[in-house]
């Protein structure tokens, strides 16, 4: 399958809202959102963020991400990363993250890309180091049901 990426469009919102399969997956993608993800919640996040991007394959929407921080010449922080359930395990997340790194480089002239990943998100914790991210901090956060979770913060110099 040929993967491509492009800026998010309003008509993509409803499909992206279906990607998180339960409260835990939504928490990984968008900790401040309430499950189920609604078009209003996602649209508000997109309006406050930069570089909102989707990945398509054969005309089907497969993944989404953006930057919650985008400092021109500084740091871009990757957020709202999510892959459609049927597309998982097929390199789509890798393509998405690599596309976002290139966007940070070309559009924002970033010198560093950061990403944060919760301790229970094994797929993310395994993927990001493969793409050159190195952990630099672990911070405590409150998870679903007032549980303690660790947020592993990683960075990659560009």
């Amino acid at each position: 399958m040929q993967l491509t990426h492009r800026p998010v469009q309003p008509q993509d919102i409803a499909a992206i809202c279906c990607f998180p399969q339960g409260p835990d997956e939504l928490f990984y993608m968008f900790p401040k959102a309430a499950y189920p993800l609604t078009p209003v919640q996602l649209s508000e996040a997109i309006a406050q963020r930069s570089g909102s991007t989707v990945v398509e394959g054969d005309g089907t929407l497969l993944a989404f991400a953006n930057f919650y921080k985008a400092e021109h010449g500084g740091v871009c922080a990757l957020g709202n990363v999510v892959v459609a359930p049927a597309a998982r395990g097929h390199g789509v997340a890798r393509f998405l993250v690599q596309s976002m790194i290139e966007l940070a480089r070309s559009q924002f002239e970033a010198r560093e890309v950061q990403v944060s990943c919760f301790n229970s998100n094994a797929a993310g914790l395994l993927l990001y180091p493969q793409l050159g991210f190195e952990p630099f901090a672990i911070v405590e956060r409150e998870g679903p049901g007032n549980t303690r979770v660790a947020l592993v913060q990683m960075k990659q110099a560009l």
Side-chain angles (χ1 to χ4, degrees):
M1 177 183 330
Q2 181 66 39
L3 298 177
T4 59
H5 64 90
R6 62 170 172 78
V8 71
Q9 302 294 323
Q11 62 268 26
D12 300 329
I13 304 291
I16 296 165
C17 286
C18 297
F19 291 177
Q21 300 289 291
D24 287 347
E25 286 187 15
L26 179 60
F27 181 72
Y28 298 159
M29 172 204 175
F30 189 177
K32 291 184 172 89
Y35 188 81
L37 183 58
T38 63
V40 169
Q41 290 180 95
L42 185 57
S43 296
E44 286 175 355
I46 289 169
Q48 296 168 7
R49 294 173 176 228
S50 303
S52 291
T53 298
V54 295
V55 171
E56 288 182 317
D58 299 334
T60 301
L61 209 59
L62 300 176
F64 171 78
N66 55 33
F67 297 118
Y68 62 86
K69 176 166 66 174
E71 302 167 347
H72 194 83
V75 172
C76 284
L78 192 55
N80 288 162
V81 178
V82 67
V83 175
R88 294 175 188 171
H90 298 287
V92 174
R94 176 180 299 273
F95 179 82
L96 173 65
V97 174
Q98 288 170 329
S99 299
M100 296 303 289
I101 291 168
E102 190 48 46
L103 183 65
R105 210 181 252 127
S106 62
Q107 187 175 330
F108 299 100
E109 298 175 11
R111 55 181 171 67
E112 182 176 285
V113 176
Q114 296 180 351
V115 65
S116 296
C117 189
F118 288 103
N119 62 287
S120 50
N121 182 354
L125 289 175
L126 294 170
L127 173 67
Y128 296 124
Q130 289 177 7
L131 297 175
F133 287 89
E134 296 182 350
F136 70 91
I138 298 176
V139 293
E140 184 174 332
R141 291 284 195 265
E142 185 177 305
N146 298 328
T147 57
R148 292 174 69 200
V149 296
L151 186 64
V152 180
Q153 297 176 325
M154 296 177 244
K155 65 183 174 184
Q156 178 181 140
L158 299 182

